[in-house]
Amino acid sequence: MSESAGRAKPWVMRTYSGHSTARDSNRLYRTNLARGQTGLSIAFDLPTQTGYDPDDLGRPARVGKVGVPGRPPRHMEQLLGWHPVSR
């Protein structure tokens, strides 16, 4: 690795986060960005990662426990609807 590795361009500061609901995670992302975070890494809950709809009553009970649910379009709108990337 060269001495200048990592110095040629700015670092992206981010946390890997998401919790409970899309609205709560949205609030967390906005706060972090306002405090200088320069990127988002969204942690989705296990049911979302494995293809379950968080609104389906037959889904596993782990929705929103470790990560944010993000399967239905309305969750994604609540999560990132304010961000220019989503437009």
Side-chain angles (χ1 to χ4, degrees):
M1 188 185 266
S2 71
E3 271 188 52
S4 64
R7 295 186 189 135
K9 59 182 181 179
W11 289 46
V12 175
M13 294 173 28
R14 67 179 78 210
T15 55
Y16 180 62
S17 61
H19 62 91
S20 60
T21 68
R23 288 185 199 278
D24 287 342
S25 293
N26 178 309
R27 197 172 302 116
L28 173 69
Y29 300 148
R30 286 178 183 237
T31 299
N32 288 350
L33 290 169
R35 291 181 178 166
Q37 182 172 309
T38 57
L40 296 174
S41 292
I42 300 168
F44 289 105
D45 64 8
L46 188 56
T48 297
Q49 292 179 41
T50 55
Y52 286 95
D53 181 340
D55 293 334
D56 180 2
L57 296 178
R59 52 93 176 116
R62 305 287 312 159
V63 170
K65 298 294 182 192
V66 180
V68 62
R71 182 90 172 133
R74 71 178 173 76
H75 284 172
M76 293 307 293
E77 180 64 29
Q78 290 170 0
L79 187 63
L80 292 173
W82 56 274
H83 197 277
V85 150
S86 65
R87 302 253 185 292

